[in-house]
Amino acid sequence: MKRILILDDNLTICLMLKSWLVKKEYQADTATSVQEAQQKVRNEAYDLILSDIRMPDVDGFSFLSWIKKFDSAILVIMMTGYADIESAVELMKLGAADYIAKPIEAELLYKKIADAFKVQENQRFTEQFRDPLIWPPGECYDAISAKVNEVIHDESHLLVIGDNGTGKTSVARYIYSRGRIDSGPFVTIDLNPQSLTRNCEKGDHETHFMQSLERAKGGLLLIQNLQKTGITIQTMLLRALSAQKKDEDFVQIIMTTEEKKEQLESILLPKLADLILRSYIELPTLRGNREAILFFADHFLEVVNRELDKKMVTIEREVLEALFNYPWEENIKEMKYLIFKACLLAEGDRISAKVLPALFNTPVGERSESPQLQREGLEGLKKENYEKEKIIEALRIARGNKTVAASILNIDRKTLYNKIKLYSIEVN
């Protein structure tokens, strides 16, 4: 359910708009001052703000600027009188999703809100498949790239083996993006029992698996944590892999696991193991791979410059040596985190040795002492203090921007909001 905040100094207008939105099954809150609205935005994960352009304390330009810095993923639709139409158009150039003139018509408001969410959804969907799959040079990565291209050409199934953060999901997304032009949906199912229980009604894991397979018809089904599945789902998966014909209902299945080939052979049903191990790739870790570390460091430097409007030019040798010697328990995912952090800590256009004390401090520094925690990643952490400190650190280096912090942590922004509330983290 989408959550909307209505900001207008006229309480009557706020309550009227709230009643309209509730009828359309939106969650709606109201605020009659910018200060009150800002406090609510700090505490709740709003999807959209409906804001008057003229407020007694702050104008629409200042409020929109604050929103985009605090959480750039929040959509803003400006409410304006006829005399302020020109200002509303300028606000759209600065990031507002749309504007609506007063007096507001209910049906037009519903349409503008629905259109704004649809545009955002399309942008997010396109974004996750936009970037090409980036491989460092070397025979190992050349072989992986060749196998992936073969799977795309043949529309065949694939098992992707790799430690946490090595890019297993990115491989699946790349295969999907390069597949059939009329490709159907991209569907993900995590076979971790905790995830299955959270996403299933009455704990019916088998039904959930079959529903996911059904939804993916004509597209791709990404099965995560293959090693966690039980005998029943293994049997269902074996049947699906063996029986599918390449017609309009065909589902390309990509499976991922952190277990090595030898371990899988002892975990899975013999027939299933024999079938899926005919076509697999194993993604290498970053640990000790100087060429790959340098390649991904340069790549994420470009990403930071693009996403955060930075102009970073280079990483100094002392910093690179520290990266070469780092344990990389979370691999490429952790590389992204550290390069984002280094760029936000750096002064000027160079990442110098000055950032090193802060770059590898808590929580990152603690991971080398606790590799198991690091391997499980943020989603599976058991020690609350570690998770809390990691979130605080991400918010600090993102200057409080929750969208950027969520990107650094590799979680969605609503999960970040929930964690902030869970740990009573104060965001400045």
PDB file of all heavy atoms in Angstrom, residues 290 294 315-322 324 351:
ATOM      1  N   ARG A 290      44.229  -9.002  -7.539  1.00  0.00           N
ATOM      2  CA  ARG A 290      44.575  -7.591  -7.668  1.00  0.00           C
ATOM      3  C   ARG A 290      43.977  -6.954  -8.931  1.00  0.00           C
ATOM      4  O   ARG A 290      43.491  -5.814  -8.892  1.00  0.00           O
ATOM      5  CB  ARG A 290      46.102  -7.432  -7.662  1.00  0.00           C
ATOM      6  CG  ARG A 290      46.746  -7.835  -6.349  1.00  0.00           C
ATOM      7  CD  ARG A 290      48.267  -7.875  -6.470  1.00  0.00           C
ATOM      8  NE  ARG A 290      48.836  -6.546  -6.581  1.00  0.00           N
ATOM      9  CZ  ARG A 290      49.295  -5.829  -5.553  1.00  0.00           C
ATOM     10  NH1 ARG A 290      49.235  -6.324  -4.328  1.00  0.00           N
ATOM     11  NH2 ARG A 290      49.823  -4.631  -5.746  1.00  0.00           N
ATOM     12  N   LEU A 294      41.253  -3.857  -8.799  1.00  0.00           N
ATOM     13  CA  LEU A 294      41.520  -2.587  -9.472  1.00  0.00           C
ATOM     14  C   LEU A 294      40.436  -2.266 -10.500  1.00  0.00           C
ATOM     15  O   LEU A 294      39.968  -1.123 -10.607  1.00  0.00           O
ATOM     16  CB  LEU A 294      42.890  -2.658 -10.150  1.00  0.00           C
ATOM     17  CG  LEU A 294      43.378  -1.369 -10.838  1.00  0.00           C
ATOM     18  CD1 LEU A 294      43.485  -0.237  -9.833  1.00  0.00           C
ATOM     19  CD2 LEU A 294      44.721  -1.617 -11.511  1.00  0.00           C
ATOM     20  N   ILE A 315      42.388   6.950  -7.492  1.00  0.00           N
ATOM     21  CA  ILE A 315      42.588   6.381  -6.160  1.00  0.00           C
ATOM     22  C   ILE A 315      44.090   6.235  -5.955  1.00  0.00           C
ATOM     23  O   ILE A 315      44.769   5.584  -6.762  1.00  0.00           O
ATOM     24  CB  ILE A 315      41.915   4.995  -6.036  1.00  0.00           C
ATOM     25  CG1 ILE A 315      40.417   5.096  -6.360  1.00  0.00           C
ATOM     26  CG2 ILE A 315      42.113   4.421  -4.630  1.00  0.00           C
ATOM     27  CD1 ILE A 315      39.724   3.749  -6.432  1.00  0.00           C
ATOM     28  N   GLU A 316      44.616   6.836  -4.909  1.00  0.00           N
ATOM     29  CA  GLU A 316      46.058   6.812  -4.700  1.00  0.00           C
ATOM     30  C   GLU A 316      46.561   5.418  -4.337  1.00  0.00           C
ATOM     31  O   GLU A 316      45.812   4.573  -3.842  1.00  0.00           O
ATOM     32  CB  GLU A 316      46.433   7.829  -3.619  1.00  0.00           C
ATOM     33  CG  GLU A 316      46.219   9.271  -4.075  1.00  0.00           C
ATOM     34  CD  GLU A 316      46.750  10.282  -3.078  1.00  0.00           C
ATOM     35  OE1 GLU A 316      47.184   9.867  -1.976  1.00  0.00           O
ATOM     36  OE2 GLU A 316      46.725  11.491  -3.390  1.00  0.00           O
ATOM     37  N   ARG A 317      47.847   5.197  -4.597  1.00  0.00           N
ATOM     38  CA  ARG A 317      48.463   3.879  -4.461  1.00  0.00           C
ATOM     39  C   ARG A 317      48.293   3.290  -3.068  1.00  0.00           C
ATOM     40  O   ARG A 317      48.010   2.106  -2.925  1.00  0.00           O
ATOM     41  CB  ARG A 317      49.958   3.992  -4.812  1.00  0.00           C
ATOM     42  CG  ARG A 317      50.798   2.753  -4.514  1.00  0.00           C
ATOM     43  CD  ARG A 317      50.251   1.500  -5.192  1.00  0.00           C
ATOM     44  NE  ARG A 317      50.129   1.638  -6.628  1.00  0.00           N
ATOM     45  CZ  ARG A 317      49.650   0.699  -7.411  1.00  0.00           C
ATOM     46  NH1 ARG A 317      49.214  -0.446  -6.898  1.00  0.00           N
ATOM     47  NH2 ARG A 317      49.572   0.889  -8.717  1.00  0.00           N
ATOM     48  N   GLU A 318      48.447   4.084  -2.012  1.00  0.00           N
ATOM     49  CA  GLU A 318      48.337   3.553  -0.649  1.00  0.00           C
ATOM     50  C   GLU A 318      46.944   3.003  -0.373  1.00  0.00           C
ATOM     51  O   GLU A 318      46.784   1.993   0.307  1.00  0.00           O
ATOM     52  CB  GLU A 318      48.675   4.649   0.361  1.00  0.00           C
ATOM     53  CG  GLU A 318      48.895   4.112   1.774  1.00  0.00           C
ATOM     54  CD  GLU A 318      49.449   5.159   2.710  1.00  0.00           C
ATOM     55  OE1 GLU A 318      49.878   6.235   2.224  1.00  0.00           O
ATOM     56  OE2 GLU A 318      49.463   4.907   3.929  1.00  0.00           O
ATOM     57  N   VAL A 319      45.934   3.667  -0.924  1.00  0.00           N
ATOM     58  CA  VAL A 319      44.560   3.182  -0.768  1.00  0.00           C
ATOM     59  C   VAL A 319      44.369   1.883  -1.541  1.00  0.00           C
ATOM     60  O   VAL A 319      43.733   0.933  -1.065  1.00  0.00           O
ATOM     61  CB  VAL A 319      43.545   4.242  -1.232  1.00  0.00           C
ATOM     62  CG1 VAL A 319      42.114   3.722  -1.082  1.00  0.00           C
ATOM     63  CG2 VAL A 319      43.723   5.533  -0.443  1.00  0.00           C
ATOM     64  N   LEU A 320      44.928   1.837  -2.740  1.00  0.00           N
ATOM     65  CA  LEU A 320      44.825   0.611  -3.541  1.00  0.00           C
ATOM     66  C   LEU A 320      45.487  -0.569  -2.830  1.00  0.00           C
ATOM     67  O   LEU A 320      44.948  -1.690  -2.834  1.00  0.00           O
ATOM     68  CB  LEU A 320      45.470   0.819  -4.912  1.00  0.00           C
ATOM     69  CG  LEU A 320      44.704   1.716  -5.890  1.00  0.00           C
ATOM     70  CD1 LEU A 320      45.523   1.920  -7.154  1.00  0.00           C
ATOM     71  CD2 LEU A 320      43.344   1.118  -6.223  1.00  0.00           C
ATOM     72  N   GLU A 321      46.624  -0.340  -2.206  1.00  0.00           N
ATOM     73  CA  GLU A 321      47.291  -1.418  -1.472  1.00  0.00           C
ATOM     74  C   GLU A 321      46.420  -1.925  -0.331  1.00  0.00           C
ATOM     75  O   GLU A 321      46.376  -3.132  -0.064  1.00  0.00           O
ATOM     76  CB  GLU A 321      48.639  -0.938  -0.937  1.00  0.00           C
ATOM     77  CG  GLU A 321      49.712  -0.774  -2.006  1.00  0.00           C
ATOM     78  CD  GLU A 321      50.038  -2.085  -2.704  1.00  0.00           C
ATOM     79  OE1 GLU A 321      49.935  -3.155  -2.066  1.00  0.00           O
ATOM     80  OE2 GLU A 321      50.402  -2.049  -3.906  1.00  0.00           O
ATOM     81  N   ALA A 322      45.722  -1.001   0.333  1.00  0.00           N
ATOM     82  CA  ALA A 322      44.808  -1.408   1.407  1.00  0.00           C
ATOM     83  C   ALA A 322      43.661  -2.250   0.849  1.00  0.00           C
ATOM     84  O   ALA A 322      43.239  -3.239   1.466  1.00  0.00           O
ATOM     85  CB  ALA A 322      44.269  -0.180   2.130  1.00  0.00           C
ATOM     86  N   PHE A 324      43.853  -4.094  -1.890  1.00  0.00           N
ATOM     87  CA  PHE A 324      44.426  -5.373  -2.310  1.00  0.00           C
ATOM     88  C   PHE A 324      44.538  -6.340  -1.125  1.00  0.00           C
ATOM     89  O   PHE A 324      44.393  -7.555  -1.296  1.00  0.00           O
ATOM     90  CB  PHE A 324      45.814  -5.169  -2.921  1.00  0.00           C
ATOM     91  CG  PHE A 324      45.812  -4.429  -4.224  1.00  0.00           C
ATOM     92  CD1 PHE A 324      46.907  -3.668  -4.608  1.00  0.00           C
ATOM     93  CD2 PHE A 324      44.715  -4.476  -5.076  1.00  0.00           C
ATOM     94  CE1 PHE A 324      46.920  -2.982  -5.818  1.00  0.00           C
ATOM     95  CE2 PHE A 324      44.711  -3.794  -6.284  1.00  0.00           C
ATOM     96  CZ  PHE A 324      45.811  -3.043  -6.654  1.00  0.00           C
ATOM     97  N   ILE A 351      41.038  10.056  -4.048  1.00  0.00           N
ATOM     98  CA  ILE A 351      40.883   9.284  -2.812  1.00  0.00           C
ATOM     99  C   ILE A 351      42.287   9.040  -2.275  1.00  0.00           C
ATOM    100  O   ILE A 351      43.037   8.217  -2.812  1.00  0.00           O
ATOM    101  CB  ILE A 351      40.148   7.952  -3.062  1.00  0.00           C
ATOM    102  CG1 ILE A 351      38.752   8.225  -3.630  1.00  0.00           C
ATOM    103  CG2 ILE A 351      40.050   7.152  -1.775  1.00  0.00           C
ATOM    104  CD1 ILE A 351      37.987   6.971  -3.980  1.00  0.00           C
TER     105      ILE A 351
END
